[in-house]
Amino acid sequence: MKIYRVNMTEGKVSEEEVKEEYAALGGRGLTSQIIADEVDPNCNPIGEKNKLVIAPGLLSGTMAPSSGRLSVGTKSPLTEGIKESNAGGTAAQKLGKLQIKAIIIEGQPEEGQFYVLKVNKDGLALEDVSDDLMGQGNYEVMESIQGQLGEDVCVMSIGQAGEYKLQAASIAVSDPEGHPTRHCGRGGTGAVMGAKGIKAIVIDDDGAPGPYMDNRDEFIEAARDFTQSLLNHPVCGEGLPAYGTAVLINILNESGGLPTKNFRKGRFEGADKISGEEVADIIKERSGKNTHGCHPGCVMQCSQVYNDKDGDYLTAGFEYETIWGFGANAEVDDIDAIAQMDRICDDIGVDTIEMAVTIGVAMEAGVIEFGDPEGAIDLLKEIGKGTPLGRIIGNGAGFTGKAFGTDRVPVVKNQGIPAYDPRAVKGQGVTYATSTMGADHTAGYAVTSNILDIGGTVDPLSKEGQVDLSRDLQVATASVDSTGLCVFAAFAILDNDKALPQVVDMLNAQYGLELELGDVFDLGKSILKTERDFNKRAGFTNADDRLPKFFEEEAVPPHNVKFDITGEELDEVYGELD
Amino acid sequence: MKIYRVNMTEGKVSEEEVKEEYAALGGRGLTSQIIADEVDPNCNPIGEKNKLVIAPGLLSGTMAPSSGRLSVGTKSPLTEGIKESNAGGTAAQKLGKLQIKAIIIEGQPEEGQFYVLKVNKDGLALEDVSDDLMGQGNYEVMESIQGQLGEDVCVMSIGQAGEYKLQAASIAVSDPEGHPTRHCGRGGTGAVMGAKGIKAIVIDDDGAPGPYMDNRDEFIEAARDFTQSLLNHPVCGEGLPAYGTAVLINILNESGGLPTKNFRKGRFEGADKISGEEVADIIKERSGKNTHGCHPGCVMQCSQVYNDKDGDYLTAGFEYETIWGFGANAEVDDIDAIAQMDRICDDIGVDTIEMAVTIGVAMEAGVIEFGDPEGAIDLLKEIGKGTPLGRIIGNGAGFTGKAFGTDRVPVVKNQGIPAYDPRAVKGQGVTYATSTMGADHTAGYAVTSNILDIGGTVDPLSKEGQVDLSRDLQVATASVDSTGLCVFAAFAILDNDKALPQVVDMLNAQYGLELELGDVFDLGKSILKTERDFNKRAGFTNADDRLPKFFEEEAVPPHNVKFDITGEELDEVYGELD
């Protein structure tokens, strides 16, 4: 396996042996380690000294089920801390098959110079971007590149937002149909790719050697067993394939934890119009797909393809968090308008969660009214035009709050708080406050025990047990994010004692390792320590591990609960790790 | 003496006795202590929990020369740390004569509600603002209020920028002619006043008891002696009255420390067209005033009144830093255009230094070209209109850099770096990096020993001695800022051993104290510790005490020097105090 280094100042690509200490790392474990080793924590994220590291998970490219997740690491323009942004799509598996452990992009070309980075079995090459791609959205970029190079290549690209280096800019990763519906969304990775002068990365695995594999037979056995574990789990094997993640709209609404009107309420009157069940009906009616994988080989298939009223493709990967944000949080109950917003964000290349929180803040500030889908669509379109208003919106919720002078801004470490009210799903609140990533629901998805009764049950309204729950999940997630497995695979791991050993067996078979169960947790802890140390060196303190004050002061209906976990208690999450 | 508390949530004013521990504090010493005691360092600066504290200096209102400086303290929207912003104008003396030690404004009214706070011998009262003042600039606001209440009242007001709660919004303080040319400029104090719903504060000292005075005879004697000390100092008594602060243009240009083209060079080809000498000639020609006080009783008279080509009043308080910023840093050599920019900033209510640095960043990002005065004027006018572009510019240099995706942004703690290149005037560099206030030239004005040979000589290009120089000046300045004396009074204190004892004699006579010389330095240290502790609790670390990387990496011509004082060395500034 190899690591490639792309120096944009010199326009040169070089190949490196994998250092011994990186050998057993992949995905987030590897991106965070390289960022911590090579990037000055006090550099400007869109300056020459930042780096962008792209790494498939350890299992990506193999037949391990649902293992095609990609990690992109950098110093985040949005949080100014370390960032691993994780996406599906077809990139990770192709990189795994090419036996590329990581691509490190560093330096900076002349202002305004843009390139396409081509990756194939012969290595990497930089080419000048063709003029017609510049200023284009991701749909056009991917279509154009696939038109030239074939439908089977994977394209990672930035839309206009990345070209403008906006803090909410994402990197789009093409899905199995070649659409830009999968994104390294959070934290502004697209701004760093834009600052590096890369409009698109094209990954072609034609003639690839296939994934690194030490013991194929043992691997296949373990992979088969783990596939069964996923399929046997009621959420992984049934709930997600049937309704996708949007099934959570009704569940969260019922629990009183669906943030509504910029986090003023925990229930949305229009929830039934935007629910997963409703979406599934519409998709069926319009001949879309209710069961769709974000990458080949996924057995959970929680993605879907959403057609417009005429039955034409509109968007895919239409997730719960997106529907929540452009829906309940903005008091919009028009699901087609929400789907359009999802499409616009995918095209311009901005994080739908950050944009949803931002639209809520813009509504709060009176830029547009709550419940105004046309206003929201117009605001999102401004981003692509590069107008001053678009640059405000595209820089996220914290930025927009400052531009329009409102103090009700739900962010942690300047990153928008997603889809689960931290007062009514308190384990999520702990994760939002303390994650090294800023507010990030996937960093320690306590919805499991708080709401879904997966991995045990912890009362979501009580503070009891939430710190331990969040910490354990943050540790486990850091490990899972290193394997290339989807975070939802953790559902099976949490409920079935046999599942984690199956993952360990796969890793040992693939890499000739002798990992034990405990090593998985040690890896997770070690990743978190590395990330937290980076953030400390960047100037973060425990004061950054806090929710905005209004969560402590305002009770959220219907349960009328406040966030009552104290700063000292939050500090216990990392107290043991620091 | 009394402290007034104005609660904007309840619309109530109350009077409090002065706590014993506040008795010997005034100005910055008092505002910083109250903010540290009463404000949660992690509150949102434009939220309900922040406070705005207004305090005259200890000597303000007396016949002590040049003692009419006002301190406004708050948690800064710009830096997110503690802020004392210091202004001339007539407010401090009137407050001193009313024996008001401080006004604490807290809470928050309903969104969109604005008031006028009236201060006179009978106490304080809140009145609804009249509709015709809202949306108006400071010139119109002051003219309107003085038209109603008489020319002698002092008005402190916010322009449109403060109403919009922009991070560079200032609080204007009327000068002796009733013009809004004196500002608590730095750090966004105007945004906090806007968030508190106060459009204007009117201070009427008619019938005031006069300043608190324990021993008038002793005070008069000490004040006379100190007046002589100021008049005898060549800069305080001759240089400043003759040319104002703009005399520094030629001096800094000569020294190679005049930041030009967004800090790319240390000399500006057009310097002679914007020099103090040139300004003085123009003022004379157009029958302006070359010798003008920012407050009555100032003997240094470094302000001036600048008329337009027709001989009509255009602006006053046209300082070196403003001329530098809209001039050299933007490569603009049209002094009338620069004067117009000064006027626009005073009217809209934004800090000229922050705006100058912001215009440089906007030019860097290509929003307008370097050397384009009309473009700069148009950008500034946008702020008053509240357009998205205006909201970007009005939020300062860091914000503008992020909006337009440039990484060459000269800020420390998000506050724009003023008028003295930190590489060529290294003592200033130390002050910029380490001050509790963010980049602030007045916080430790090392230009004294670096450039003016006041208080000794320290080679500006060498790193030797700069840390000690900056620390000593930061300590002394914190004390001076508590007295109400102008920071330029320090010139006399630094060069004449008799001057500081005269200040101590004044304080002892006025308040019946028994201060000794050493107490003055202890006070300064104590203030800095209080401020630094607030910032630490707000999440600041030593990583925040650094200049942007490009000052370490790019040599500035003509001397081709970099900023070579290491982080460890910078940490020695506070190492002794922490």
Side-chain angles (χ1 to χ4, degrees), chain A residues 40 49 165 405 407 549 553, chain B residues 40 47 49 165 405 549 553:
Chain A
D40 178 349
K49 298 296 168 78
K165 299 176 249 181
D407 68 329
K549 293 281 166 190
E553 291 158 4
Chain B
D40 177 350
K49 299 296 168 78
K165 298 176 248 179
K549 294 278 169 193
E553 291 159 3

Side-chain angles (χ1 to χ4, degrees), chain A residues 191-401:
Chain A
V192 181
M193 186 156 147
K196 299 292 172 218
I198 296 184
K199 178 70 177 169
I201 301 170
V202 185
I203 308 169
D204 181 355
D205 64 348
D206 190 41
Y212 183 88
M213 190 55 68
D214 189 69
N215 187 326
R216 184 170 310 270
D217 294 342
E218 281 182 20
F219 185 88
I220 288 175
E221 194 184 326
R224 268 193 201 132
D225 292 344
F226 186 63
T227 302
Q228 274 312 314
S229 295
L230 290 183
L231 292 174
N232 290 342
H233 190 272
V235 175
C236 302
E238 291 169 33
L240 287 171
Y243 293 110
T245 58
V247 70
L248 288 166
I249 291 281
N250 276 340
I251 295 173
L252 267 294
N253 197 51
E254 192 55 39
S255 77
L258 184 74
T260 300
K261 200 178 184 183
N262 191 26
F263 288 80
R264 272 207 175 62
K265 303 184 282 184
R267 264 185 202 149
F268 177 44
E269 285 187 7
D272 56 328
K273 294 193 187 163
I274 62 169
S275 70
E277 293 79 352
E278 176 69 16
V279 170
D281 284 351
I282 294 174
I283 287 175
K284 201 173 163 191
E285 205 179 287
R286 298 180 185 169
S287 307
K289 280 190 196 171
N290 265 313
T291 302
H292 177 247
C294 80
H295 61 273
C298 179
V299 299
M300 296 185 281
Q301 300 272 316
C302 71
S303 181
Q304 71 300 95
V305 175
Y306 188 94
N307 291 342
D308 64 18
K309 285 175 180 161
D310 301 327
D312 295 326
Y313 170 87
L314 180 59
T315 192
F318 191 28
E319 304 290 352
Y320 161 68
E321 287 76 14
T322 305
I323 297 173
W324 153 74
F326 293 131
N329 198 47
E331 290 196 313
V332 166
D333 62 7
D334 177 345
I335 190 71
D336 279 318
I338 299 169
Q340 224 183 308
M341 294 186 226
D342 184 50
R343 160 87 182 216
I344 293 169
C345 289
D346 285 352
D347 194 38
I348 293 172
V350 279
D351 177 25
T352 55
I353 294 177
E354 191 65 36
M355 284 305 97
V357 179
T358 302
I359 294 294
V361 169
M363 288 172 165
E364 184 75 43
V367 180
I368 55 173
E369 298 293 311
F370 279 100
D372 175 9
E374 288 75 24
I377 287 170
D378 288 344
L379 279 187
L380 294 173
K381 284 183 177 168
E382 289 293 312
I383 304 170
K385 297 178 197 162
T387 61
L389 179 57
R391 287 169 186 268
I392 290 172
I393 301 295
N395 269 315
F399 201 83
T400 298

Side-chain angles (χ1 to χ4, degrees), chain B residues 134-459:
Chain B
M134 292 309 298
Q136 298 301 330
N138 289 309
Y139 271 95
E140 185 142 342
V141 169
M142 291 194 180
E143 199 178 336
S144 167
I145 291 176
Q146 287 155 354
Q148 282 177 28
L149 302 175
E151 282 181 11
D152 288 343
V153 300
C154 172
V155 181
M156 294 173 63
S157 62
I158 55 171
Q160 298 91 342
E163 291 185 32
Y164 302 144
K165 298 176 248 179
L166 301 179
Q167 295 170 71
S170 64
I171 299 174
V173 184
S174 54
D175 68 15
E177 285 76 34
H179 292 141
T181 67
R182 294 291 152 185
H183 289 253
C184 297
R186 310 232 65 192
T189 55
V192 181
M193 186 156 148
K196 299 291 171 219
I198 296 184
K199 178 69 178 172
I201 301 170
V202 185
I203 308 169
D204 181 355
D205 63 348
D206 190 40
Y212 183 89
M213 189 55 67
D214 188 70
N215 188 326
R216 186 170 307 270
D217 292 342
E218 280 183 21
F219 185 87
I220 290 176
E221 194 184 327
R224 267 194 201 131
D225 291 346
F226 186 62
T227 303
Q228 274 312 315
S229 294
L230 290 183
L231 292 175
N232 289 342
H233 189 272
V235 174
C236 303
E238 291 168 35
L240 287 170
Y243 293 109
T245 58
V247 70
L248 288 165
I249 292 279
N250 275 339
I251 295 172
L252 267 294
N253 196 51
E254 192 56 36
S255 78
L258 184 75
T260 300
K261 200 178 185 184
N262 191 26
F263 288 80
R264 271 206 175 64
K265 304 183 283 184
R267 267 191 199 145
F268 177 44
E269 286 187 6
D272 56 329
K273 293 192 189 164
I274 62 169
S275 70
E277 293 79 351
E278 175 70 14
V279 170
D281 285 349
I282 293 174
I283 287 176
K284 198 173 165 192
E285 205 179 288
R286 298 180 186 171
S287 307
K289 280 190 196 172
N290 266 314
T291 301
H292 177 246
C294 79
H295 60 273
C298 179
V299 299
M300 295 185 282
Q301 300 273 314
C302 72
S303 181
Q304 69 302 94
V305 175
Y306 188 95
N307 291 343
D308 64 17
K309 284 174 181 164
D310 301 326
D312 296 324
Y313 171 86
L314 180 59
T315 193
F318 191 29
E319 305 290 350
Y320 161 69
E321 287 77 14
T322 305
I323 298 174
W324 153 74
F326 293 131
N329 199 47
E331 289 195 313
V332 165
D333 62 7
D334 177 345
I335 190 69
D336 280 316
I338 299 169
Q340 223 182 314
M341 294 185 228
D342 184 50
R343 160 89 183 215
I344 293 168
C345 290
D346 285 351
D347 192 38
I348 293 171
V350 280
D351 177 25
T352 54
I353 294 176
E354 191 65 35
M355 284 306 96
V357 178
T358 302
I359 293 294
V361 169
M363 288 173 165
E364 183 75 45
V367 180
I368 55 173
E369 298 292 312
F370 280 100
D372 175 7
E374 288 77 23
I377 287 170
D378 287 345
L379 279 186
L380 294 173
K381 285 184 177 169
E382 289 292 313
I383 304 170
K385 298 179 196 161
T387 61
L389 179 56
R391 286 169 186 270
I392 291 171
I393 301 295
N395 270 316
F399 201 84
T400 299
K402 284 177 176 161
F404 294 108
T406 179
D407 68 329
R408 191 190 177 82
V409 181
V411 296
V412 179
K413 301 183 178 76
N414 201 40
Q415 183 167 287
I417 296 180
Y420 310 88
D421 196 289
R423 295 160 291 193
V425 191
K426 290 203 162 88
Q428 282 304 112
V430 176
T431 295
Y432 294 154
T434 61
S435 165
T436 51
M437 297 291 145
D440 178 349
H441 62 294
T442 66
Y445 192 63
V447 173
T448 46
S449 300
N450 276 180
I451 302 290
L452 302 174
D453 296 333
I454 290 175
T457 301
V458 175
D459 178 1

